[in-house]
Amino acid sequence: MNLFAKLRAYGRVLRGGCRNRSDLGRRLLRRPQILLGVAAYELALLGSSAVDGGIKSLASIKAASRVGCLF
């Protein structure tokens, strides 16, 4: 999947959420260091095509579970 297809998919998912859309944005704006870290991580994840997307998703879920994230 190329970069534009990934961006389109993310756009469709983000449009589907109907509650608390701005909650995350407001929290990230209060902490610019976290915003930069999240942006760098997401851009690196989108730009890398060396690994299959399913494996990248599993790795991100595993990392989230290690740090105690519910997702």
Side-chain angles (χ1 to χ4, degrees):
M1 188 176 342
N2 64 9
L3 180 62
F4 295 113
K6 289 179 187 179
L7 289 175
R8 266 186 272 131
Y10 281 143
R12 282 193 309 258
V13 168
L14 290 176
R15 277 194 308 259
C18 59
R19 59 181 177 171
N20 297 333
R21 284 187 185 186
S22 62
D23 193 32
L24 177 63
R26 278 188 272 133
R27 289 184 180 169
L28 286 176
L29 286 176
R30 289 183 196 163
R31 306 281 189 218
Q33 296 88 359
I34 296 175
L35 176 64
L36 289 174
V38 169
Y41 171 74
E42 292 293 334
L43 286 173
L45 194 63
L46 277 174
S48 66
S49 298
V51 181
D52 183 38
I55 294 174
K56 280 195 261 187
S57 296
L58 287 174
S60 107
I61 291 170
K62 181 69 174 183
S65 68
R66 293 235 174 187
V67 298
C69 181
L70 296 176
F71 299 101

